[in-house]
Amino acid sequence: FDQGIKNYIIIYSIVGILITFYIIDSACGIFSDKKKAYRKHIETIEENFNAVNFAQGKAELTYKAKSVLNDLVKYMKDNPDLKIKLEGHTSEEGDENFNQKLSEARAKVVLNFLVSQGISADRLQAEGRGSKEPIDPNNRRSNRRTEFIVIM
């Protein structure tokens, strides 16, 4: 930072692997309502909804995944300005091209479920990340997942 900048705090939020930084003037104590709401959404989604996992080689929603997604639908309906990006992931087994397509299918099946429950598609983005971003290299099952990232 420039040496003339003082009294600043850096706040970061981690959602999955996304890190968002804010620089806030601590002398003024300014933290906009929008940023407060954004942080609340991140905390709520990270705590309650990043639990959509899949069977190996599959992009089918389990009963547990649908239950989690139904709760996310309610949360999104209660927060109509909320937009999220859905990131599909796979474990490292198998061919890289297959894993990429599978991760895209996982993100898309979640998007389609949310839309079928009344969430507008313009509030959602879907992206496949393949097997490039494991959250636990020793637990393949935890890497077969879809993560939700709040879009501001």
Side-chain angles (χ1 to χ4, degrees), residues 129-148:
R129 305 294 294 160
S131 59
K132 297 174 245 175
E133 300 165 359
I135 56 173
D136 184 351
N138 299 317
N139 183 349
R140 292 176 176 167
R141 186 168 187 229
S142 68
N143 296 321
R144 301 177 195 128
R145 69 198 189 280
T146 298
E147 291 184 345
F148 306 99

Side-chain angles (χ1 to χ4, degrees), residues 6-9 24-31:
K6 297 178 184 174
N7 298 322
Y8 281 82
I9 300 171
I24 300 155
D25 184 345
S26 63
C28 296
I30 297 171
F31 198 83

